[in-house]
Amino acid sequence: MRPSTLMAALAALSSHRTSLAHQHTQYTSLGIRQMALIGRGGGSSGGSCKKSTSPVKNDLQLGTSHDDDVPTSTSAITTSVRGGAVRSANSNNNDNSKTISILGIRLTPRALATLSMATCMSLHYLAYSLARPATMTLFTSSRLGFGNSVSAYPFAMTFISPASFVLLLFYGSVLNSCGPLMALKYTTIGCSVILTLASVVIAKLDPYVDTNPNIATMTKYLVGTLFIFRESYVQLITSQHWSFISSVLTPSQSSRWFAPISGLTSVTSAVAAMGVGKLSELWGLSGVLGMAGVGVWGGGGMG
């Protein structure tokens, strides 16, 4: 082979290798750019990336979707809150846009729910303030209760915690089967029925206590059981009221309204306590106890 031909072949081979290296560099640079676009959520080119993401962006802003199987609306997002309740993530916007008129006063659904539960709890405390002095007077009475026994009161107090535990177990079963709203209604109405029936039975047995020792003994045990129940049920009902209010209000609203709600329950309790003496003169202790049962039932209906 001639030297000139050999030199020409070597030059052609060197030029071909240089061209291959340049193409490899271009392909590598293009691949890096594509990966960078995909990492930012785009497509394989700048133009197609802008066109493909625009409908998606509009869908997210409007809360709609082209695919019915993929919900993108913010109304489908829910958050769990205190008290076991679940509310929508945009519930604050709903409260501001919808109002309900009550006696000419427009209230948001959140305010109406809080007002209803606060009224329910105030009626509950009013009834408790009627039942407490009535049951205490009956329990310490020497005729209908254990006034002649010094150890009767501390002995009865030992049964309050076990009775509260039994009521809590019953409440848990009702809560699991019926939900929190119906559990509050059932437990409240149940307590109302017990107080009302006890007042009726005591009123019927009262005339025979002095003449029949068996009825006198039965009345004492009934009064003692009623005393233990009255000390046990109050916390069960109250905790449910506060749980519902806490699930409706936000933390900032709770810090603002919990004190006025507590003040409302204190006012109703004081009003009931001041009226016990007058009511007992009119209808007796059994009548006051019956009014307490009606008050508890009214609280359950309001809730």
Side-chain angles (χ1 to χ4, degrees), residues 55-78 88-90:
V56 176
K57 182 177 180 181
N58 293 335
D59 288 344
L60 293 176
Q61 289 176 345
L62 297 176
T64 60
S65 175
H66 295 296
D67 190 356
D68 295 335
D69 295 334
V70 183
T72 57
S73 175
T74 56
S75 62
I77 303 176
T78 57
S88 173
N90 59 349

Side-chain angles (χ1 to χ4, degrees), residues 82 87 92 110 114 245-261:
R82 299 178 303 277
R87 66 166 176 254
N92 292 334
R110 185 191 301 272
T114 304
I245 294 175
S246 298
S247 67
V248 171
L249 298 179
T250 63
S252 59
Q253 291 172 337
S254 299
S255 62
R256 177 181 179 183
W257 291 107
F258 271 18
I261 293 174

Side-chain angles (χ1 to χ4, degrees), residues 83-104:
V86 177
R87 66 166 176 254
S88 173
N90 59 349
S91 59
N92 292 334
N93 296 332
N94 293 337
D95 287 346
N96 295 329
S97 60
K98 299 178 180 179
T99 58
I100 302 174
S101 179
I102 303 295
L103 300 177

